[in-house]
Amino acid sequence: MSSSKFRYPTVTAVVIANMVGTGVFTSLGFQLLELRSGFVLLALWAIGGLAAVCGAMTYAELGAAMPRSGGEYNFLSRIYHPAAGFVSGWVSATIGFAAPTALAAITFAAYATSALLDEPSAWLQKGLACGLVILLTLVHAGSRRGSGGLQWLFTILKVLVIVLFCVAAVTFAPAVQPVNFLPTSGDGTLILSGAFAVSLIYVSYAYTGWNAATYLSSELEEPQRTLPWILMGGTLVVTVLYVALNYTFLAVAPMASMTGKVEVGYIAADAAFGDIAGRFTGVVLALLLVSTVSAMTMAGPRVLQVIGEDFRGLSLLAKTNTDGIPSNAIYLQAVLTLTFILTSTFESILVFAGFTLALNSFATVLGVFVLRIRQPHLPRPYRTFAYPLPPIIYLLLTAWTLTFVLLNKPYEGLFGLAVVASGLLFYAVSARHGRTASAKALDQT
């Protein structure tokens, strides 16, 4: 068994760690601005999980049929056109990983300083967030053994802490909140409302990361056999964790205290355990976000690496160190991440990142229909279970979300479209230097 490949548990850990992070520890506060039904709020997270599982099932077919690192960049290049793949890679590099990594680092700093200090400085939080990014960049740009081992350790700790937090909070909270988690009159109308669709924007961002394993396909042992189970297994685990965690938040903390707040986990811990124990729990929850930053620092640069392999003008990004790690790409993503931390607000990053990533995955899931029509004889070691239902469910839910982003958050939505347009311009410039022979050969397969 080759030590130069990532094993099944490590890549499953990447999927879980990429998903469980900023969104689930911050989204509830925004959702409570419009929704106050316990059943509807849990349904929101369950529906988000359904969409993620359907997306993962579809990506599993694409990943098994085209097992090369790069995720959507690889898929869209071969399904549609190299320009589509390049734009996807551009989105992943500028928004898809750098922006969420910045959000996770910012949330880590906010939780840690809020738990330790009464009035934390904004610049102290930015400095702590930057320090975490720099530290993990150095770790992941070093050796594969240190990279995979760190990821697996932090992800196991993350899952255990979330489970223990849920059990302990519900068990020891001084009072259970009067929240009804069973359907009541009016809940059906609320689920079909615009407020629910807007809230689904935040939930879809929280589930972002279920496709992370496809960015490491070429570095995975037996990808055609294991990738489908990694994608679906990791996504199902996270769905259960999300529903349990939001049930806990709502059960132990008053809705009014969490409405509009980012640090809902810390607020729930304080309500359940008191000031001192709540502060300690806040620090622990902050540490959970280390694995999220770690996973994104690990997976994202592989997109830049594949782009560098395909375009001669960007070949510097494809260079690896003696352990086969794309260190140049890792350093570039770190620079982009630090730029987001120092120049942007949490809310602006969250909305336009969620919109742009959803648009990216929408085009990819749609590609499973295109590929079956254009290449019906392509070997498919895994075929999407219950096809075509999972991709249809994903496309309908995502289209609903994208529409409401443009209607309710037009500036952020248009900014995301501007990023896509800039990717097309950058492709035109890069294509002048020519694509490599290996990239052209893949177009013919």
Side-chain angles (χ1 to χ4, degrees):
M1 188 173 291
S2 172
S3 60
S4 65
K5 297 283 188 178
F6 287 122
R7 301 184 65 182
Y8 177 104
T10 297
V11 183
T12 303
V14 170
V15 172
I16 295 173
N18 261 280
M19 295 174 71
V20 182
T22 312
V24 74
F25 290 113
T26 60
S27 295
L28 184 60
F30 298 109
Q31 295 155 17
L32 285 169
L33 292 170
E34 300 287 344
L35 306 173
R36 292 299 182 97
S37 164
F39 173 78
V40 171
L41 287 165
L42 292 190
L44 184 69
W45 288 94
I47 290 172
L50 172 65
V53 170
C54 289
M57 292 171 67
T58 308
Y59 269 57
E61 175 174 327
L62 297 174
M66 298 175 286
R68 185 195 186 200
S69 292
E72 290 93 347
Y73 169 77
N74 173 41
F75 299 152
L76 299 186
S77 292
R78 297 181 63 182
I79 295 172
Y80 300 110
H81 187 275
F86 186 92
V87 170
S88 176
W90 174 259
V91 167
S92 294
T94 57
I95 302 296
F97 283 95
T101 302
L103 285 176
I106 291 169
T107 306
F108 159 79
Y111 265 74
T113 55
S114 295
L116 296 173
L117 303 171
D118 291 329
E119 295 183 8
S121 162
W123 281 106
L124 174 62
Q125 292 181 346
K126 286 182 180 290
L128 188 59
C130 289
L132 177 63
V133 171
I134 292 170
L135 175 62
L136 292 176
T137 295
L138 294 175
V139 170
H140 286 300
S143 70
R144 196 182 306 277
R145 180 177 180 181
S147 178
L150 178 72
Q151 189 58 56
W152 178 240
L153 172 64
F154 271 115
T155 303
I156 287 294
L157 289 175
K158 173 181 282 188
V159 173
L160 288 176
V161 168
I162 289 175
V163 172
L164 289 174
F165 172 79
C166 292
V167 173
V170 173
T171 302
F172 297 109
V176 176
Q177 299 301 312
V179 179
N180 191 348
F181 293 106
L182 296 176
T184 59
S185 176
D187 281 351
T189 301
L190 198 56
I191 288 176
L192 297 175
S193 69
F196 188 89
V198 171
S199 293
L200 199 58
I201 297 167
Y202 300 107
V203 172
S204 66
Y205 176 81
Y207 277 102
T208 298
W210 49 262
N211 58 341
T214 62
Y215 293 90
L216 298 166
S217 298
S218 295
E219 300 173 73
L220 171 66
E221 292 178 350
E222 302 181 85
Q224 292 178 312
R225 182 180 65 84
T226 60
L227 184 61
W229 302 111
I230 289 171
L231 288 167
M232 291 183 289
T235 304
L236 285 170
V237 168
V238 171
T239 301
V240 173
L241 289 175
Y242 276 8
V243 173
L245 196 55
N246 281 277
Y247 169 85
T248 303
F249 291 160
L250 292 166
V252 304
M255 287 186 180
S257 67
M258 295 185 290
T259 301
K261 300 295 179 62
V262 172
E263 63 278 14
V264 290
Y266 170 68
I267 294 170
D270 183 70
F273 307 125
D275 182 59
I276 296 177
R279 287 177 182 269
F280 173 77
T281 306
V283 172
V284 173
L285 293 177
L287 293 176
L288 297 183
L289 293 163
V290 173
S291 71
T292 304
V293 179
S294 174
M296 291 180 178
T297 302
M298 183 179 178
R302 270 63 184 186
V303 181
L304 293 170
Q305 178 188 9
V306 176
I307 292 175
E309 291 173 354
D310 289 355
F311 291 86
R312 294 188 181 94
L314 300 172
S315 60
L316 189 64
L317 297 176
K319 290 186 177 180
T320 59
N321 63 16
T322 55
D323 205 37
I325 290 179
S327 52
N328 287 343
I330 292 175
Y331 293 138
L332 177 58
Q333 180 175 296
V335 170
L336 293 170
T337 300
L338 295 173
T339 301
F340 276 117
I341 292 173
L342 295 173
T343 63
S344 304
T345 65
F346 185 94
E347 293 81 6
S348 63
I349 300 173
L350 178 62
V351 176
F352 77 71
F355 174 85
T356 313
L357 293 176
L359 189 64
N360 209 16
S361 60
F362 182 92
T364 306
V365 171
L366 183 64
V368 77
F369 295 105
V370 177
L371 195 64
R372 285 205 180 195
I373 293 171
R374 292 180 58 186
Q375 299 187 46
H377 302 299
L378 179 71
R380 292 174 171 82
Y382 171 81
R383 288 177 176 266
T384 302
F385 177 74
Y387 178 89
L389 196 56
I392 289 175
I393 291 173
Y394 184 85
L395 292 173
L396 289 175
L397 289 173
T398 304
W400 188 36
T401 301
L402 292 171
T403 300
F404 274 92
V405 171
L406 288 172
L407 292 175
N408 293 275
K409 306 282 185 180
Y411 293 110
E412 288 85 351
L414 291 174
F415 184 83
L417 293 176
V419 171
V420 173
S422 68
L424 286 171
L425 291 174
F426 206 83
Y427 170 79
V429 174
S430 301
R432 290 181 181 178
H433 294 279
R435 301 176 71 232
T436 62
S438 60
K440 292 178 181 177
L442 281 172
D443 296 339
Q444 307 303 319
T445 60

